[in-house]
């Protein structure tokens, strides 16, 4: 970017440096949710991981404007459903859909914590942090980049 000095200060052109880009304070309304292979002792199925990659960001967006007491209520309700019907989420049953949704809601609530959450094959967070598998410093080349190298 160039700027001309006001009249009377000479005829030199001054080169102005743009302000350095600041890191975002948050990752936006959907947070950042990415796969995290090897994140648990028992690997989750690819179908389950794909479903979480879809649902957790939606839950993060749903909860973004809730107050702390409302978040506490949501997390307690999800925890109760998971403890009562977690087997339905894994093996099927009458409350499978509700139990799986409760897991996605629980992960969305945990994504608000410092450092986010890594579980069930995904990492979810709402703010940049050290060690985030989604940070630009831990870029993994895509299949196209590997092929072109």
């Amino acid at each position: 970017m160039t700027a001309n000095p006001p009249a009377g200060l000479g005829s030199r052109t001054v080169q102005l440096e743009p302000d350095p880009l600041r890191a975002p304070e948050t990752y936006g309304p959907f947070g950042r949710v990415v796969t995290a292979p090897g994140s648990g002792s028992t690997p989750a199925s690819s179908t389950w991981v794909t479903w979480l990659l879809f649902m957790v960001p939606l839950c993060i967006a749903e909860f973004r404007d809730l107050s702390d007491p409302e978040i506490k209520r949501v997390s307690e309700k999800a925890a109760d459903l998971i403890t009562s019907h977690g087997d339905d989420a894994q093996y099927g049953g009458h409350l499978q859909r509700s139990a799986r949704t409760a897991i996605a809601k629980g992960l969305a609530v945990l994504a608000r914590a410092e450092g986010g959450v890594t579980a069930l094959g995904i990492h979810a967070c709402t703010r940049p942090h050290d060690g985030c598998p989604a940070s630009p410093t831990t870029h993994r080349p895509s299949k196209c980049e590997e092929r072109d190298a």
Side-chain angles (χ1 to χ4, degrees):
M1 170 190 318
T2 60
N4 293 324
L9 292 180
S11 60
R12 300 188 305 200
T13 301
V14 178
Q15 183 73 23
L16 298 177
E17 294 295 322
D19 292 334
L21 296 175
R22 292 185 302 159
E25 292 182 21
T26 67
Y27 285 133
F30 298 103
R32 181 167 281 182
V33 183
V34 297
T35 58
S39 63
S41 58
T42 307
S45 72
S46 63
T47 304
W48 179 235
V49 170
T50 301
W51 186 83
L52 288 171
L53 289 171
F54 170 75
M55 281 300 293
V56 173
L58 295 178
C59 293
I60 289 171
E62 180 183 351
F63 301 155
R64 75 175 180 254
D65 294 328
L66 295 183
S67 65
D68 287 342
E70 291 170 318
I71 288 293
K72 183 177 181 192
R73 183 186 53 78
V74 166
S75 64
E76 288 173 350
K77 185 176 178 184
D80 287 344
L81 189 58
I82 293 166
T83 56
S84 301
H85 300 284
D87 55 336
D88 287 347
Q90 185 173 2
Y91 301 112
H94 181 67
L95 294 175
Q96 180 181 29
R97 189 174 302 154
S98 298
R100 287 187 173 194
T101 302
I103 291 170
K105 288 180 178 183
L107 291 171
V109 169
L110 291 171
R112 298 165 58 115
E114 183 63 36
V117 61
T118 303
L120 300 173
I122 68 163
H123 173 79
C125 54
T126 57
R127 292 178 303 280
H129 59 90
D130 291 336
C132 182
S135 69
T137 58
T138 59
H139 172 71
R140 294 184 190 139
S142 68
K143 297 266 187 215
C144 294
E145 291 172 330
E146 288 176 355
R147 182 190 68 223
D148 294 341

